[in-house]
Amino acid sequence: METETLAQKIVDGDRRALSRAITLVESRRADHRAQAAALLQQLAQAGRQAFRIGLSGTPGVGKSTFIESFGMMLTEQGLRVAVLAVDPSSTRTGGSILGDKTRMPLLARAPGAYIRPSPSQSQLGGIARRSREAVALCEAAGFDVVLIETVGVGQSETVVSEISDLFLLLLAPAGGDELQGVKRGIMERADLILVNKADGALKPAAMRTCADYAGALRLLRKRARDPEGFPKAITVSALENAGLETAWDEMQALVGWRREAGHYDRIRSEQARFWFGEEVREGLLSALDNGAAKARMAELAAQVVAGELTPELAAQTMLTGLGVVPR
């Protein structure tokens, strides 16, 4: 399909065209990369923006359940919701289950919702390599809210905050104390902490966990992009749909304040700069994928194994041959 035709179908809200475009941007083929770049440049002229919400948390915290309940609430309010879910890829086979639609059966059938699972492949940081482009495609397709669900992550996977307007961290009851809350990493990137499963026998534990993290957040250094009282921790129950409206109100209040204060556009500009740097680094790494580079790598690796070269000197030799000055 011609790029202009595909772009028009996406703007018109054609879901099949959107899915086809996401497959295109995820491709590693050189001709597909060129076509994807042209498509994204053309769609950028539409000027559409969505509320980008990144969602992270440890495995088993209930991310999929929360997204389904939260997404259903938003679609019932007349909003169009896109969910970009990232599944971990096997380090042995490279495959992924991609079973997020099975975990969100109600949202998957909702007319105003779109769910697209993608494999993480070798990408670190909790998201897929082309998640940012997929978000841009969903914005161009006219979705009001784009939810980016990461793989189950730990404390250092914070890349999702570079493609979202708001970064949610989902925690389980009894998931840590105040000392855990002041640890750097994912905690200091979160805009809103949601303690999930605040229902039944776990509700008291959820309340205590929320109090611990609320106290911890007050000890973190104040960020210029946050109004008074943010970031904050609140309890929710995706199972009982409790606290979801409160969470949505808090999200809207925070992003609304950032728009008025001028932080919203600045943050998006900084994110664009970040991804420009990432694209350059990715392009440099791709230079190692051609036949000549692989052969030279194998030759130098053999010398390292034989003890003729140290890994450091071999790396410097390889980089110099590529025209890169080693640091």
Side-chain angles (χ1 to χ4, degrees), residues 124-268:
L124 299 178
I127 62 172
R129 182 167 177 253
R130 296 296 172 185
S131 289
R132 182 186 64 86
E133 288 92 333
V135 170
L137 291 172
C138 290
E139 286 187 314
F143 286 95
D144 302 299
V145 179
V146 180
L147 290 163
I148 309 106
E149 179 195 7
T150 70
V151 300
V153 299
Q155 294 190 136
S156 62
E157 293 84 352
T158 58
V159 180
V160 67
S161 64
E162 297 291 350
I163 59 175
S164 54
D165 301 317
L166 194 86
F167 181 31
L168 305 181
L169 178 59
L170 220 61
L171 298 176
D177 54 16
E178 191 166 330
L179 180 59
Q180 185 74 21
V182 297
K183 288 184 177 179
R184 299 306 190 252
I186 201 167
M187 282 295 307
E188 60 185 351
R189 302 299 292 272
D191 296 306
L192 197 61
I193 293 177
L194 305 179
V195 182
N196 194 24
K197 303 183 180 181
D199 48 59
L202 289 176
K203 188 170 185 178
M207 300 298 292
R208 289 193 299 270
T209 300
C210 183
D212 284 340
Y213 279 92
L217 289 173
R218 288 192 288 269
L219 300 177
L220 294 177
R221 181 179 298 176
K222 182 71 175 176
R223 303 180 304 189
R225 63 184 184 183
D226 295 329
E228 190 63 35
F230 282 91
K232 63 175 60 177
I234 61 176
T235 58
V236 297
S237 170
L239 189 63
E240 297 182 351
N241 295 328
L244 300 184
E245 291 189 4
T246 300
W248 178 232
D249 290 341
E250 297 286 5
M251 296 177 209
Q252 292 178 295
L254 176 56
V255 172
W257 183 87
R258 285 178 176 172
R259 285 183 183 274
E260 294 177 2
H263 294 293
Y264 179 88
D265 291 332
R266 177 183 59 80
I267 291 172
R268 284 214 168 189

Side-chain angles (χ1 to χ4, degrees), residues 274-302:
F274 171 85
W275 288 107
F276 163 68
E278 289 298 299
E279 285 295 320
V280 172
R281 279 185 282 273
E282 188 66 34
L284 291 174
L285 287 174
S286 67
L288 299 175
D289 286 338
N290 64 60
K294 287 182 177 180
R296 183 57 173 155
M297 285 278 287
E299 178 184 341
L300 290 170

